[in-house]
Amino acid sequence: MKKIIYSFAIITAAYLIGCSDDYLDVDQTAAISTADLSLYNNDEGAKSFVTAIYSKFLDWNMSSFSWNGITSIASDDADKGSSPGDTGTDKDLLDNLTHNASSISVEEVFRAQYEGINRCNQALFYIPQLNQANEGLRNRLIGETKFLRAVMYFNLVRIYGGVPLVNKIPSPSSEEDRIMQLTRKSKEEIYTFIEQDLTDAIAVLPEKSAYPANEVARASRGAALTLLAKVSLYQRKWDKVIEYTNLVTGYSLTPSYAEIFKTSGENNQESIFEIQGFGGNPAKGIQGYSATQGARGAGGWGWGFNTPSESLVNAYEPGDVRRDATIIFAGTTLYDGRVVPLTVENPRYNFKAYSSVNSGDWETNVNIRYLRYAEVLLMRAEAFNELGNTTSAKSELDLVRNRANLPNSTAVSQADLRTAIWRERRVELAFEHDRYFDLVRTGQAQAAFAIHGKQFIVGKHELFPLPQRFINESQGLSTQNPNY
């Protein structure tokens, strides 16, 4: 486990990266001075600022153990897993909804987002000054940066509610900037900021199809539109969900659901945005993402955390191909020939975190699928239904069901179709880091956790606590979330 050295002075330190032909280069260098800016005043130098942001998503505290704890283990889709005595520091607390403001996962995820936001603010400050770099490239890089900053603020607002809005490089000598870093804004203000970043990104980003093959993983107009639709979904702006999803074009469902989550399915026709992992030499994979979720025990290859729950298994209808493409069952043989013996400690593991290449290594080839076209269809289905257009809603829903080898939905009424869409989101997007937030935003959380014998406290567990160290450091400028 990593030890946290927590301070906003550290959060807002400069994180920059040297020039490289590979925009996923993660070799971090010291902060840049204005005098040295000429070294970056070219196309590759401009790209390097955004490379530093993408590389943050590979970090342990950003996309790995603590992230899985909050977004997955805390939900009803997953159990802590591993050995009974291995708590994963606080993953047992998250699993039981007994976490607190001092829990390491709460601190790590919060800190990671602001480290990434700082890199975005660095890029937005320096890139416009690089007048020797191509202007069109600079505009696109600014769009990528604003998309990535929106991703981080969307993570923050869903997890913690209102948070500090740090939209520039703070000056250590500025009292105004100190207050900015330590004062919560309302969740409404954060959502407005996210919407503006995404609107700006949409205006300058190209479609995914316009990128060359070696840059297809970069943020695109479709990614920004999809995230803006999702931000609208969380705010129940149903008309906006329809408007934005209608503009997401050039994507289609992958015929085989299982293919999406193989290395061969990365960045394919359904992929809108993925966090890229590469387990080669040098390794640039997502630190510990696969290893912490791999099968544990004799014949296994990992730590065994974040295991599929029995209620998730039961959520799949008979014949749904997504079950066996989402869940690794002990005693089965995987698509690459690996045998999962019955001697592993847990009966089930997360298939979406599995890579047949270097699967037991700390950094593997697995990508995290962040936005997919199937979710565009399900968001549109939900919005159509809430607007009373059940016919269109059912049509979108059935596209997703049919790909999963299921017949058309039998739901007819708006209420029944609403339940069917929510259920479809669960089985389609399991282990894609949305389930906890879906339960909260749809009002299903208390009942869903009760099935597991866990108490979801209304008025508390809709949000996670802000880190206690942040609250202490704010000295009254920010208050804790209710009932923590």
Side-chain angles (χ1 to χ4, degrees):
M1 312 285 176
K2 286 193 174 182
K3 180 180 179 182
I4 290 180
I5 305 173
Y6 194 92
S7 165
F8 252 76
I10 292 175
I11 286 178
T12 56
Y15 289 89
L16 297 176
I17 197 161
C19 300
S20 171
D21 293 332
D22 183 348
Y23 87 100
L24 287 177
D25 191 342
V26 298
D27 295 329
Q28 190 168 292
T29 64
I32 188 174
S33 69
T34 303
D36 292 332
L37 191 59
S38 61
L39 298 174
Y40 295 87
N41 200 358
N42 51 64
D43 287 358
E44 292 306 314
K47 286 181 181 180
S48 71
F49 284 90
V50 185
T51 298
I53 307 168
Y54 284 106
S55 73
K56 180 60 198 173
F57 284 94
L58 307 182
D59 283 357
W60 167 262
N61 66 355
M62 187 71 159
S63 303
S64 195
F65 204 30
S66 291
W67 174 251
N68 282 328
I70 283 180
T71 64
S72 198
I73 294 173
S75 80
D76 63 339
D77 273 359
D79 299 318
K80 173 184 73 70
S82 188
S83 301
D86 189 348
T87 65
T89 305
D90 64 351
K91 306 309 176 287
D92 57 332
L93 303 180
L94 291 166
D95 195 16
N96 292 309
L97 298 182
T98 56
H99 51 273
N100 57 63
S102 297
S103 296
I104 191 170
S105 296
V106 167
E107 293 190 359
E108 277 201 336
V109 170
F110 186 82
R111 182 175 187 264
Q113 307 309 310
Y114 280 105
E115 288 174 348
I117 288 165
N118 176 66
R119 297 188 187 193
C120 293
N121 291 337
Q122 294 277 351
L124 293 172
F125 177 76
Y126 285 113
I127 289 174
Q129 302 179 50
L130 305 178
N131 55 16
Q132 297 302 308
N134 178 273
E135 183 179 3
L137 172 64
R138 282 186 287 146
N139 289 337
R140 191 200 80 196
L141 292 172
I142 288 171
E144 291 181 60
T145 298
K146 289 193 173 184
F147 168 80
L148 295 170
R149 187 168 67 174
V151 167
M152 296 173 212
Y153 271 114
F154 188 49
N155 291 342
L156 285 167
V157 75
R158 290 193 296 170
I159 296 169
Y160 305 102
V163 292
L165 183 52
V166 183
N167 61 357
K168 63 177 182 177
I169 304 172
S171 169
S173 61
S174 170
E175 176 64 9
E176 181 182 354
D177 287 357
R178 184 188 73 85
I179 292 172
M180 171 186 68
Q181 296 173 82
L182 297 173
T183 305
R184 301 181 71 176
K185 297 292 186 181
S186 69
K187 68 177 183 180
E188 291 78 15
E189 289 173 295
I190 300 300
Y191 273 123
T192 297
F193 184 76
I194 293 169
E195 289 169 341
Q196 187 59 60
D197 262 359
L198 291 172
T199 299
D200 292 347
I202 289 164
V204 296
L205 286 177
E207 297 290 358
K208 178 181 175 181
S209 59
Y211 280 112
N214 64 343
E215 293 195 317
V216 71
R218 287 187 177 274
S220 65
R221 182 172 184 268
L225 282 165
T226 302
L227 185 56
L228 188 53
K230 193 165 182 173
V231 167
S232 300
L233 182 82
Y234 273 71
Q235 298 175 89
R236 303 177 65 83
K237 297 179 179 179
W238 307 119
D239 287 328
K240 290 296 184 182
V241 175
I242 300 297
E243 176 185 345
Y244 298 136
T245 55
N246 281 343
L247 295 173
V248 178
T249 59
Y251 303 91
S252 61
L253 295 177
T254 305
S256 167
Y257 183 83
E259 182 64 24
I260 299 169
F261 304 99
K262 298 176 183 178
T263 304
S264 56
E266 292 174 349
N267 305 308
N268 69 6
Q269 72 264 37
E270 184 167 342
S271 171
I272 297 177
F273 186 71
E274 300 183 16
I275 297 169
Q276 307 290 312
F278 172 65
N281 186 15
K284 299 165 189 172
I286 303 160
Q287 295 174 351
Y289 185 76
S290 293
T292 55
Q293 299 180 76
R296 182 185 182 102
W301 58 90
W303 296 11
F305 284 92
N306 198 28
T307 58
S309 66
E310 186 174 353
S311 77
L312 176 61
V313 176
N314 295 335
Y316 292 95
E317 299 171 50
D320 191 334
V321 300
R322 293 172 295 194
R323 191 194 79 146
D324 289 348
T326 301
I327 303 171
I328 294 174
F329 292 91
T332 59
T333 301
L334 306 185
Y335 65 85
D336 59 356
R338 180 192 287 273
V339 176
V340 187
L342 293 171
T343 52
V344 293
E345 290 194 30
N346 310 103
R348 297 175 291 273
Y349 297 95
N350 177 10
F351 215 151
K352 293 181 181 179
Y354 178 74
S355 170
S356 62
V357 183
N358 305 320
S359 58
D361 291 351
W362 188 244
E363 296 179 334
T364 68
N365 281 25
V366 71
N367 285 1
I368 297 177
R369 278 64 171 176
Y370 188 80
L371 295 170
R372 293 194 285 116
Y373 187 64
E375 187 173 11
V376 172
L377 298 176
L378 291 174
M379 287 194 292
R380 195 152 56 219
E382 188 170 345
F384 273 135
N385 191 57
E386 295 303 327
L387 293 170
N389 187 346
T390 55
T391 299
S392 294
K394 190 172 181 299
S395 176
E396 303 289 333
L397 173 64
D398 288 340
L399 288 172
V400 178
R401 288 180 57 81
N402 295 164
R403 195 264 298 272
N405 197 38
L406 295 176
N408 290 347
S409 173
T410 58
V412 176
S413 70
Q414 184 185 43
D416 287 348
L417 196 54
R418 180 183 295 120
T419 300
I421 293 166
W422 290 348
R423 183 174 59 245
E424 206 67 32
R425 279 190 66 91
R426 183 183 191 185
V427 293
E428 175 69 29
L429 303 173
F431 288 97
E432 294 180 51
H433 309 285
D434 274 339
R435 176 62 177 171
Y436 190 94
F437 311 117
D438 271 349
L439 288 174
V440 169
R441 73 174 180 83
T442 59
Q444 301 176 85
Q446 188 176 37
F449 283 106
I451 293 172
H452 291 252
K454 299 172 185 178
Q455 185 182 13
F456 180 95
I457 300 173
V458 175
K460 176 181 180 179
H461 286 134
E462 290 87 353
L463 298 172
F464 289 82
L466 288 164
Q468 189 59 48
R469 297 186 194 184
F470 166 74
I471 293 296
N472 293 345
E473 191 172 346
S474 75
Q475 297 182 329
L477 291 172
S478 288
T479 58
Q480 186 55 273
N481 283 326
N483 298 311
Y484 284 104

